[in-house]
C-alpha cells in the first residue's frame, strides 16, 4: 500500500472519529431531554410532602398507597388497560386485513379505500371526537367503555395499516404463491407463510395501537361519560385536586409501557426475510 | 412421428389448448397449445416477454387464462385452484420460506396433505439425501449458497410426487460452472423420479442440452415445437433459426437447377446450389438458413457444391472453437465457425469458403 493511501485512510479515520463523537454527543443530548421529566417525576412520586415539591423534603410510598386505595384511580387504570388491549387486538386484526387488501389487491376503488382508512390521521382529534359523539349517541354507545374502544380502534387503524403495509411490501409475494402451489389454501398460506414473515411489524403495530389508546384524552373525554379512562382522570385531577398522586400514576404508566416494550423485545423479534 | 415430434407413445399428462391471456392491451399468450407426455422433459424457450412465465403460471393456476383449456391427466383443471392441482413449481427466485428451516420448507407440501409426522421426516431425509443436502435440514434458507437454495427448492417441489414439475429459469442466477452441474443433476433427478417436467429458459444451449422437446416461443405464440435436433436443423421460421443457435440468414429466389439441386439466386447476386423440398421450388422469395459450422475452408472449389473466394474480416477466438467473419466478392458477409483453436488468420487474408447443397435450409419467408 502506498504512503498516499495510508495517509488518506488516516485522515478519513480521524474525520470519522470526529463525526462519531458529535453523534454520541447529540444522542446524549436527546436522551437527556427525553429523560429529564422522569428525573423530576420519579422522585416526586416518592415524596412525603402533600405538595408537588422538588426536590422532595422526604421520601415515602404514601402516594402509591393513595392511588391503590382510591377505587376511582384503580378503576380508571383498569379501564384504560382494557380499552387499550381491545384496541390493540381489534386494530391489529382489522388493520392487517386492510393492509393485505391494499398491498396485494387489485380492485377498482382501492385508492379511495386507502384514503378513507388514512383519514383519521389527517382529521383533528376534536373533529373526529365530535363526529363520533354524534354517531355514537344514536347508537347508545356514548358513556360506555366499548364506545371508546371502537373509536380508539378506528383511530389506530391507519397506524397499523402503515406499519404492516410497509412490512408486507418488503416480503416476497411469490412465497405466498409457492405455498398455495404446494397445497395450502390462501388463508393457510397467509397464516403460515406471510404473517410469520411480518411478525415484528404485527407486534409493533399492536404496541403502537395500544399506546395510542392508552394515552388518548380527547376521544375519551367526549365518549367516556362517567367511565373515566386514566388520562381523563389525570386531567381531572390536575384541574381539581393537584397532589403527588399524579406523579405516582405517571410512574406506573411509564412502568407499564416499559414492561410492554420489554415483552415485545423478547417475543417480537422475528426472522427477517432474505432480500 | 407427428409433425411436432409429439409426445409419441407416452400418455399425455398435460394438455394446454388454445390458451389465451391478455394484460390490458398486452397479449401475453395468443392461442398456445401444448401437450406433454408422461415422464417427458419439455422446455419453453423464448426471448424476454415472450410469455413463458405466463404460460407456466397458467398451468400452475396462479394466473387465470381468458380463453382455452388446460387438462392434467385427462382432468379439466382450467378453473381449479392451485392448491388442488398437485403441481410442483420451482420459482425463478426459489421462493423459499425464509422463516422456516430447510426441513420445514421441504415438509410443507407433505404437511398440507396431512401426511403423518414420521412419514414426513422419513421422506424429507430421503429427498435431502437425493439432492445431496444431508445434514442441512436445520438451517435457514439464508444460511445456504445459491446452488444449495436451488436444490432445496427442487426438493420441496418434488417431495410430494407431483403430477407435473414446473421450473421457471431455475438456473439463471447461478454462475456458469454451477449451472452446468445443476443441469446435469436436474436431468438425473427428473429421469430417476420419472417426473413430467416443463422447464423455462431463455438460454438455448440449456434447452438443447436438457430437453426431450423444445417449444420455441415468441410474442405469446409457440413458433415451433419439436425435438432439439429438429429445431436446430429444421427451423420452422426465421425467428427460430436466429434464436436457436447462430445462423447466416440469406434471401433469394429459385432461378433454375444445377446438378440435381435447385439453383437459388441470392439478393446479393450470388448463386447457390440448394437442396429444396419439391414444394418450395416453385415458391417466389426464399429465406435460407446457413449454420456457421456448416461453412468450411476449402483448398479447391471442387470440394463442395458451393464455393466462393472470400476475404477475412475478423477472427474471434472463443476457446473451444473459433469464429470468423468473411466477405464474399458480392459483398455478402458470412459467419463461419470451426472446432478447435482454428488457424490464426490475419484480416484481409483471401481464402476459399464453401458448403454443400444439403447444408442449407429454407424457412418460410416472413
Ligand atoms: N402482471 C402483469 N401485468 C401486465 N403485464 C404483464 C404481467 N405479467 C406479464 N406481463 C406481460 O406479458 C408479457 C409476457 O410476460 P412473461 O412474464 O410471460 O414473459 P417471459 O417470457 O417470462 O419473459 P422473461 O424471460 O423476461 O421472464 C410481457 O409483455 C409482460 O410485460
Ligand atoms: Mg419469465
Amino acid at each position: 500500500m502506498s504512503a498516499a493511501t495510508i495517509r488518506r485512510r488516516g485522515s478519513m479515520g480521524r474525520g470519522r472519529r470526529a463525526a462519531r463523537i458529535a453523534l454520541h454527543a447529540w444522542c446524549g443530548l436527546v436522551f437527556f431531554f427525553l429523560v429529564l421529566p422522569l428525573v423530576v417525576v420519579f422522585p416526586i412520586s416518592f415524596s412525603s410532602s402533600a405538595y408537588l415539591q422538588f426536590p422532595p423534603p422526604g421520601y415515602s410510598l404514601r402516594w402509591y398507597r393513595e392511588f391503590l386505595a382510591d377505587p376511582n384511580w384503580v378503576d380508571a387504570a383498569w379501564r384504560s388497560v382494557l380499552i387499550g388491549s381491545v384496541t390493540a387486538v381489534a386494530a391489529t386484526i382489522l388493520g392487517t386485513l386492510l393492509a393485505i387488501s391494499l398491498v396485494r389487491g387489485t380492485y377498482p376503488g382501492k385508492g379511495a379505500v386507502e384514503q378513507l382508512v388514512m383519514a383519521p390521521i389527517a382529521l383533528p382529534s376534536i373533529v373526529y371526537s365530535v363526529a363520533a359523539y354524534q354517531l355514537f349517541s344514536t347508537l347508545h354507545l356514548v358513556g360506555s367503555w366499548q364506545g371508546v374502544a371502537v373509536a380508539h380502534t378506528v383511530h389506530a387503524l391507519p397506524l397499523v395499516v402503515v406499519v404492516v403495509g410497509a412490512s408486507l411490501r418488503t416480503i416476497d409475494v411469490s412465497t405466498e404463491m409457492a405455498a398455495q402451489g404446494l397445497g395450502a389454501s390462501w388463508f393457510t398460506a397467509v397464516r403460515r407463510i406471510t404473517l410469520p414473515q411480518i411478525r415484528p411489524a404485527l407486534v409493533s403495530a399492536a404496541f403502537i395501537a395500544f399506546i395510542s389508546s392508552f394515552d388518548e384524552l380527547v376521544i375519551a373525554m367526549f365518549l367516556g361519560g362517567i367511565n373515566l379512562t386514566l388520562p381523563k382522570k389525570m386531567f381531572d385531577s390536575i384541574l381539581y385536586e393537584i397532589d403527588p398522586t399524579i406523579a405516582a400514576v405517571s410512574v406506573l404508566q411509564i412502568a407499564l409501557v416499559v414492561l410492554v416494550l420489554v415483552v415485545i423485545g423478547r417475543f417480537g423479534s422475528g426472522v427477517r426475510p432474505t432480500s | 412421428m407427428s409433425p411436432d415430434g409429439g409426445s409419441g407413445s407416452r400418455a399425455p399428462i398435460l394438455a394446454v389448448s388454445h390458451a389465451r391471456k391478455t394484460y390490458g392491451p398486452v397479449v401475453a399468450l395468443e392461442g398456445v397449445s401444448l401437450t406433454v407426455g408422461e415422464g417427458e422433459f419439455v422446455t419453453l424457450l423464448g426471448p424476454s416477454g415472450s410469455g413463458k412465465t405466463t404460460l407456466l403460471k397458467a398451468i400452475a393456476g396462479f394466473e387465470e387464462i381468458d380463453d382455452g383449456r388446460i387438462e392434467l391427466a385427462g382432468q379439466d383443471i382450467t378453473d381449479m385452484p392451485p392448491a388442488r392441482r398437485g403441481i410442483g413449481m420451482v420459482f425463478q427466485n426459489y421462493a423459499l420460506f425464509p422463516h422456516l428451516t430447510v426441513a420445514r420448507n421441504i415438509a410443507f407440501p407433505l404437511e398440507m396433505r396431512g401426511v403423518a409426522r414420521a412419514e414426513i421426516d422419513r421422506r424429507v431425509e430421503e429427498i435431502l439425501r437425493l439432492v445431496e443436502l444431508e445434514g442441512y435440514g436445520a438451517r435457514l434458507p439464508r444460511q445456504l449458497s445459491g446452488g444449495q437454495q436451488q436444490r432445496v427448492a427442487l426438493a420441496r417441489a418434488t417431495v410430494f410426487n407431483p403430477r407435473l414439475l414446473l421450473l421457471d429459469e431455475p438456473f439463471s442466477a447461478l454462475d456458469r460452472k454451477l449451472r452446468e452441474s445443476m443441469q446435469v443433476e436436474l436431468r438425473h433427478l427428473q429421469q430417476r423420479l420419472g417426473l413430467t417436467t416443463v422447464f423455462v429458459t431463455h438460454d438455448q444451449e440449456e434447452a438443447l442440452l436438457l430437453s426431450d422437446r423444445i417449444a420455441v416461443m415468441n410474442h405469446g405464440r409457440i413458433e415451433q415445437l419439436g425435438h432439439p435436433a429438429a429445431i436446430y436443423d429444421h427451423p420452422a421460421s426465421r425467428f427460430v433459426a436466429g434464436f436457436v443457435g447462430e445462423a447466416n440468414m440469406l434471401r433469394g429466389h429459385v432461378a433454375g437447377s444445377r446438378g440435381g439441386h435447385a439453383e437459388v439466386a441470392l439478393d446479393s447476386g450470388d448463386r447457390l446450389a440448394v437442396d429444396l423440398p419439391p414444394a418450395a421450388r416453385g415458391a417466389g422469395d426464399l429465406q435460407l438458413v446457413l449454420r456457421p459450422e456448416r461453412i468450411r475452408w476449402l483448398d479447391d472449389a471442387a470440394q463442395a457444391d458451393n464455393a466462393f473466394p472470400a476475404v477475412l474480416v475478423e477472427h474471434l477466438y472463443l476457446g473451444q472453437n473459433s469464429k470468423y467473419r468473411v466477405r464474399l466478392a458480392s459483398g455478402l458477409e458470412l459467419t463461419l465457425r470451426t472446432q478447435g483453436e482454428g488457424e490464426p488468420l490475419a484480416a484481409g487474408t483471401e481464402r476459399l469458403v464453401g458448403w454443400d447443397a444439403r447444408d442449407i435450409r429454407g424457412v418460410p419467408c416472413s
Side-chain angles (χ1 to χ4, degrees), chain B residues 53 92 168-169:
Chain B
T53 298
Q92 182 159 5
D168 191 358
E169 306 203 23

Side-chain angles (χ1 to χ4, degrees), chain B residues 220-244:
Chain B
R221 293 173 187 279
I222 292 181
E223 293 236 353
Q224 189 174 2
L225 180 61
H227 295 278
I231 299 265
Y232 189 79
D233 290 332
H234 301 278
S237 68
R238 183 195 161 98
F239 171 79
V240 174
F243 194 75
V244 183

